[in-house]
Amino acid sequence: MIDSADNATHPLPVTEATRLHFSDSARSTFTVDLGQDLLGDWVLTQTWNASQQRGGGKRIVVDGHEAGLVMLEKIARQKERSGFNQVPYHVRSDWR
């Protein structure tokens, strides 16, 4: 907590986010993240980018970590049924 007298300040989340990344044969991509925001709320963030079109995104506050995992699994099944394949997502560690 930054200031113990401040009732609105919360500790930074310690948990790790969960991220799934999908792609299809047309080079469209879809990423879904489950993590906590600075207020401690669990948030499901979806971003997408379609070839020849603009990308987009949306954020959904979920009732907790378990509820977020259930939604994440549901979204993964929907994406796989619609022709997307889950691909490894790598974060670059060699930024210069």
Side-chain angles (χ1 to χ4, degrees):
M1 193 171 285
I2 296 170
D3 183 357
S4 60
D6 182 0
N7 291 333
T9 304
H10 298 278
L12 292 173
V14 180
T15 58
E16 292 184 24
T18 302
R19 172 177 288 170
L20 298 178
H21 189 69
F22 298 88
S23 183
D24 69 359
S25 60
R27 298 184 50 103
S28 297
T29 60
F30 181 85
T31 303
V32 59
D33 292 301
L34 175 63
Q36 284 182 291
D37 63 11
L38 291 176
L39 298 175
D41 294 326
W42 285 94
V43 179
L44 197 66
T45 304
Q46 301 174 56
T47 56
W48 55 86
N49 184 19
S51 60
Q52 307 294 328
Q53 296 178 0
R54 290 177 28 163
K58 67 179 178 178
R59 295 172 47 96
I60 302 168
V61 177
V62 294
D63 290 332
H65 185 251
E66 293 298 321
L69 287 175
V70 169
M71 287 185 68
L72 191 121
E73 291 174 11
K74 181 179 177 182
I75 290 169
R77 284 192 304 271
Q78 290 172 343
K79 286 295 164 191
E80 289 171 352
R81 279 195 299 262
S82 61
F84 281 79
N85 296 311
Q86 188 172 346
V87 294
Y89 189 89
H90 300 286
V91 177
R92 288 183 55 185
S93 61
D94 62 343
W95 292 100
R96 297 172 195 226

